[in-house]
Amino acid sequence: MSKVIAVFGAGTGLGVSVARRFGREGFRVALVARRKDRLDALVEVLAGEGIEAVAFSADLAKPAEVPALVEAIRDRFGRIDVVEYGPISGDQGFTPAAELDAATLEGLTPLLLFTPVEVVRAVLPEWTERGEGAFLLAQGVSAAQPMPHLSGLGPVMSATRNYLYSLNAELADTGIYVGALTIASLIARSEVSAAAQAAFESADGPQFPVADPDDLAEHYWNMYTERDRVEQFHPESLTPQATA
């Protein structure tokens, strides 16, 4: 039975590029996001490229629904081998740290922290039994490098980053890999890129380059196959030492 990757937060940018990259290696693909019409369009595009994909509509800001969602994917495909989690959309935005409040953090935490934790909990028994699996997560560079006026997302993502580092170490000898792709770029063809660029400009923040999502998907494939690092930075010149 061919392997399966579940792409959580699938869209026209990184999500579909990840589906393509793993699909070329024979993976079947579960595409997960809120809008089924957009997912169905991506399924059709991938089918035209010879990649088997199925759409699963879900609100990833509702962590309590994760077990049923994972079970639905497993019922359809028989297994889940890799999870890619990267559901950032235009609904999430930056907040200056001086203006941050508990309500803002509370609104961001389900999608960016609680749900990935619940996804891992849902797939871990299967992976533990099989002795193989991989959880890959995309995050913005503010998870590792705080920036003035661009807070909100960063504190929550940094908590998730902390969790991933611990999880990677705990599972290192089990055949299960956990890794984070930390991106200091806007993503071409992504619906959120224009909104993010506007936020940076209004805050007089850094001007990030635009990354080709195919290049980011290649990072993911290398992380999955090599399993020699917890975190991959893009651009690669942005090293962990530089963000300490």
Side-chain angles (χ1 to χ4, degrees):
M1 183 182 295
S2 58
K3 291 185 176 182
V4 174
I5 181 169
V7 179
F8 285 74
T12 57
L14 180 57
V16 73
S17 289
V18 171
R20 283 195 179 101
R21 183 63 186 90
F22 281 75
R24 290 204 307 269
E25 305 294 335
F27 278 72
R28 296 170 291 158
V29 181
L31 298 174
V32 182
R34 282 184 300 177
R35 293 189 54 177
K36 185 137 187 333
D37 56 339
R38 294 186 182 181
L39 290 177
D40 289 340
L42 295 178
V43 167
E44 186 175 346
V45 168
L46 292 170
E49 300 172 10
I51 299 170
E52 180 184 349
V54 177
F56 295 84
S57 180
D59 184 350
L60 295 177
K62 298 180 178 179
E65 297 181 3
V66 166
L69 170 61
V70 168
E71 191 60 31
I73 297 171
R74 192 179 287 118
D75 286 346
R76 173 59 179 80
F77 287 108
R79 60 191 292 149
I80 299 172
D81 297 273
V82 179
V83 168
E84 189 274 325
Y85 192 89
I88 298 297
S89 73
D91 295 340
Q92 294 85 44
F94 293 98
T95 303
E99 299 175 11
L100 193 60
D101 57 19
T104 301
L105 291 174
E106 186 176 21
L108 294 167
T109 302
L111 180 71
L112 300 178
L113 177 60
F114 296 161
T115 292
V117 169
E118 287 301 301
V119 171
V120 170
R121 284 174 53 84
V123 297
L124 198 53
E126 175 187 355
W127 292 355
T128 301
E129 180 178 355
R130 197 160 55 233
E132 206 278 334
F135 182 83
L136 307 170
L137 181 136
Q139 60 185 4
V141 71
S142 63
Q145 180 176 312
M147 291 174 282
H149 307 291
L150 300 176
S151 188
L153 292 171
V156 180
M157 290 189 298
S158 67
T160 308
R161 181 175 183 255
N162 177 290
Y163 163 73
L164 291 180
Y165 265 80
S166 296
L167 194 63
N168 176 282
E170 291 173 13
L171 299 176
D173 298 326
T174 68
I176 300 168
Y177 171 69
V178 177
L181 176 58
T182 302
I183 305 167
S185 307
L186 302 176
I187 300 175
R189 305 189 293 278
S190 170
E191 298 167 1
V192 72
S193 289
Q197 185 60 62
F200 299 148
E201 291 174 353
S202 65
D204 196 23
Q207 298 302 300
F208 290 121
V210 177
D212 188 325
D214 292 345
D215 294 338
L216 300 177
E218 191 65 32
H219 282 318
Y220 266 146
W221 179 254
N222 291 336
M223 292 167 68
Y224 171 67
T225 55
E226 296 169 5
R227 303 184 176 216
D228 59 353
R229 55 203 180 278
V230 186
E231 189 169 12
Q232 171 71 51
F233 285 78
H234 183 91
E236 293 185 72
S237 59
L238 185 68
T239 64
Q241 290 76 19
T243 63

